[in-house]
Amino acid sequence: MEYNNTPTTSQEEGMNLETVLIYMKKIFKKWWVILISALVFAAVGLSLAIVNDVPTYSSKIMFIANNRQLSTQVSGQSSSDLNASVQLAESFSYIFKTTDLSTKVAQNCGYKDITSQDIKKYVSVEAVPETMIIYLTVTTTDKDVSYAIAKTYQDFYADAIKKAFPSTTLTVIDPPLLATQPNVNNDKVVYPLLGFLLGILLAVFIMVMAIMAKDTIKSMDDLQKKLDLKILGSVNRVIKPKKHEKESVLLTERTSGFGFIESFKLIRTKIEHLAARKKMKSFVVTSATENEGKTTTAVNLALALAKNGKEVLLIDGDLRKPAVAKSLGINAAGDTGILGVADGSKSLADSIKYSEKYNLYLLLSGQSFKDPSELLSTAQTEEIIQRAKEEFDYVIVDTPPSSMVADTAILAGYTDAIVMVVRQDTAPLRRIRRALDNLDNSGAEIIGCIYNDSSVGMRGVKSYNKKYGYGYGYEESSK
């Protein structure tokens, strides 16, 4: 197995961006889950606000502080006088809550069940920044109690201030009034809003944890770090115009996009270099699980090699779910493919078709087989691959997902090399490792992987594409 060099810093940053984009896509795809969570928590917040909604009433006193005795005050004050008064105003905030003053207020407010500790809870003091103004506010659930406590403070505050600051005066400029209506309560707005935000954060957090727990390959960097696989190339996503969206994604079609076409040209170049250096002619193309794009990859790899003037035979070895003919738009009804040759019912020459449109030789299957493993394991099947290697420049074999059935490992044993297709954020890492373990025993070399359906695409290749994928079903033969 070959290994890539350590990624450069710029590559690592790109891969981090790619992973973030995947997370964002998955989260936004489930926007309705986030919305439901937010609305549920907003409803809970509103319920709490309603349950805890107890009307309160406040009576307020406004004071002004001065650092001179009242008897010596003059209309003009110096800058130092004003600064001193501001500092004193901040200190008064603590004087109003002393135990001594709180006890006097509790004993003289007219309500015997109120204690000094209650007074401290009911009273709040605010010094207006950069002014000499102080507000004392008394808030309770009874407007008469609030007013009585405020009036008592007005009667007893002077002695406490004089005792703490003998040279300071604190003058009432706005006496307390009896409240005529409850205080404004914003809890019915604040609680639902906080609940809404909490619902969003919780839903996003759970989604991120679920994505992380899935442990899929989310970037090319993951392929190198987690699997040590050589990367043959990256194929970006494809969105076709609506009138062409049902057509196969082929590099011979301009609607597939420049980025898609160039991706396979670069992959072809790498494989040709490897083939020449290692004397390889036959390649199995597979994936760990279904719906990773391995058939389309095999078809386009064969097309890319054929466009370079090579004689290429494309074999549909996915006999449980043959899809090569459909991808190329060719009628393969009645064709039994490689199994028909292996069982002796047809000759290899009669079974191979030539497509002038694609300049491609094809060994197709027009029907599915429930369990082709037995016939694939025969010497006749191996002989078919060997004969094909002698007659063609390249032999590309599309096979089933290698973690699900044994067919791929069998066919890989007859070929020179294996190309693994890994679709972005699809197969769990454990399934990919299981597939690689199965293939390691085949004797063929895993020359690398093609990173499919990338949201970022190959570096240096402009991506016109957004989405590409297909799916079909297999039953796993083993766990």
Side-chain angles (χ1 to χ4, degrees):
M1 185 180 295
E2 298 191 33
Y3 300 84
N4 263 1
N5 294 327
T6 303
T8 63
T9 301
S10 61
Q11 284 179 318
E12 290 177 354
E13 290 174 354
M15 292 308 98
N16 290 337
L17 173 61
E18 188 172 6
T19 302
V20 170
L21 290 174
I22 293 171
Y23 276 64
M24 291 177 63
K25 175 191 171 185
K26 283 186 166 290
I27 289 170
F28 286 135
K29 191 175 181 180
K30 298 290 186 179
W31 63 268
W32 56 274
V33 175
I34 298 174
L35 180 60
I36 291 174
S37 175
L39 292 176
V40 169
F41 275 81
V44 172
L46 179 60
S47 300
L48 291 174
I50 293 173
V51 170
N52 296 320
D53 184 20
V54 179
T56 59
Y57 301 84
S58 296
S59 288
K60 182 180 294 186
I61 308 173
M62 181 190 295
F63 299 94
I64 187 167
N66 198 295
N67 68 321
R68 292 182 176 180
Q69 294 285 356
L70 186 60
S71 59
T72 62
Q73 282 188 22
V74 293
S75 57
Q77 288 184 321
S78 66
S79 175
S80 60
D81 290 337
L82 181 59
N83 290 336
S85 296
V86 170
Q87 293 176 0
L88 287 170
E90 294 175 352
S91 300
F92 292 155
S93 299
Y94 301 98
I95 302 300
F96 283 114
K97 288 193 176 185
T98 60
T99 301
D100 183 51
L101 181 55
S102 298
T103 301
K104 287 182 180 180
V105 172
Q107 291 173 348
N108 293 276
C109 68
Y111 294 91
K112 295 181 178 180
D113 56 337
I114 294 179
T115 66
S116 63
Q117 294 301 316
D118 294 330
I119 296 296
K120 292 179 181 181
K121 293 178 183 178
Y122 297 155
V123 172
S124 63
V125 182
E126 178 187 5
V128 180
E130 299 182 5
T131 72
M132 297 177 291
I133 304 298
I134 294 177
Y135 286 100
L136 182 145
T137 305
V138 181
T139 302
T140 70
T141 57
D142 189 316
K143 60 183 178 180
D144 293 321
V145 173
S146 297
Y147 179 70
I149 293 174
K151 285 289 293 179
T152 307
Y153 259 107
Q154 185 178 356
D155 296 337
F156 288 91
Y157 81 92
D159 288 341
I161 297 299
K162 185 176 180 180
K163 182 178 179 181
F165 302 100
S167 61
T168 301
T169 60
L170 191 64
T171 307
V172 175
I173 59 174
D174 194 0
L177 299 174
L178 180 66
T180 58
Q181 58 185 7
N183 296 329
V184 175
N185 187 351
N186 294 322
D187 288 353
K188 291 181 181 179
V189 174
V190 174
Y191 279 33
L193 180 59
L194 291 176
F196 189 87
L197 294 176
L198 179 61
I200 292 176
L201 292 175
L202 183 61
V204 170
F205 175 78
I206 292 174
M207 286 182 181
V208 170
M209 291 298 101
I211 295 170
M212 292 176 65
K214 189 178 177 184
D215 195 23
T216 57
I217 298 297
K218 298 179 178 65
S219 68
M220 286 193 288
D221 198 31
D222 280 350
L223 282 172
Q224 294 171 317
K225 289 181 177 179
K226 297 179 179 180
L227 297 174
D228 288 331
L229 282 174
K230 178 182 177 66
I231 298 173
L232 298 173
S234 171
V235 180
N236 47 325
R237 298 180 185 179
V238 174
I239 276 187
K240 285 197 167 191
K242 282 192 175 180
K243 62 180 180 179
H244 298 290
E245 62 184 0
K246 292 185 178 180
E247 298 176 2
S248 298
V249 185
L250 301 176
L251 62 84
T252 54
E253 304 294 334
R254 294 182 62 186
T255 54
S256 297
F258 176 79
F260 181 86
I261 295 169
E262 288 302 306
S263 296
F264 274 98
K265 287 183 179 180
L266 292 173
I267 293 168
R268 173 190 66 194
T269 301
K270 286 187 178 182
I271 288 181
E272 284 180 332
H273 289 165
L274 281 169
R277 191 170 75 248
K278 298 188 175 185
K279 303 187 184 307
M280 295 176 173
K281 297 187 68 176
S282 55
F283 301 86
V284 155
V285 179
T286 188
S287 60
T289 62
E290 60 183 313
N291 198 30
E292 294 196 66
K294 52 92 185 167
T295 296
T296 298
T297 299
V299 169
N300 281 286
L301 177 57
L303 289 172
L305 291 167
K307 284 178 70 69
N308 216 24
K310 304 298 182 181
E311 289 193 345
V312 182
L313 173 63
L314 175 59
I315 300 175
D316 194 341
D318 187 354
L319 301 171
R320 298 170 189 265
K321 202 75 175 180
V324 172
K326 182 179 179 182
S327 295
L328 293 170
I330 295 174
N331 183 8
D335 289 354
T336 55
I338 194 170
L339 288 190
V341 180
D343 66 14
S345 59
K346 288 188 178 181
S347 68
L348 181 60
D350 291 338
S351 298
I352 293 177
K353 293 182 176 180
Y354 175 71
S355 171
E356 187 174 349
K357 176 181 178 181
Y358 299 114
N359 187 31
L360 200 61
Y361 293 91
L362 305 165
L363 182 54
L364 304 176
S365 178
Q367 55 185 294
S368 60
F369 296 86
K370 187 174 182 180
D371 186 11
S373 299
E374 297 298 329
L375 197 52
L376 288 176
S377 301
T378 61
Q380 288 85 342
T381 303
E382 182 177 8
E383 183 182 350
I384 294 169
I385 302 295
Q386 296 306 317
R387 286 175 57 190
K389 288 168 61 176
E390 294 172 1
E391 297 179 20
F392 297 93
D393 295 321
Y394 292 102
V395 178
I396 307 298
V397 185
D398 177 41
T399 62
S402 49
S403 74
M404 306 178 77
V405 292
D407 304 8
T408 304
I410 295 170
L411 288 169
Y414 308 145
T415 60
D416 301 322
I418 301 165
V419 175
M420 193 78 178
V421 178
V422 178
R423 185 175 184 176
Q424 184 181 72
D425 195 33
T426 300
L429 189 60
R430 60 181 175 78
R431 295 286 292 275
I432 300 175
R433 285 176 174 152
R434 182 201 304 172
L436 293 174
D437 288 341
N438 292 342
L439 295 172
D440 274 339
N441 297 324
S442 67
E445 180 181 356
I446 302 173
I447 59 172
C449 72
I450 295 173
Y451 185 54
N452 191 31
D453 197 29
S454 170
S455 59
V456 174
M458 295 187 71
R459 300 185 183 281
V461 180
K462 184 175 180 182
S463 173
Y464 290 91
N465 314 310
K466 298 295 181 183
K467 183 179 180 183
Y468 162 66
Y470 72 97
Y472 50 34
Y474 284 90
E475 292 184 2
E476 294 193 53
S477 60
S478 61
K479 295 292 181 182

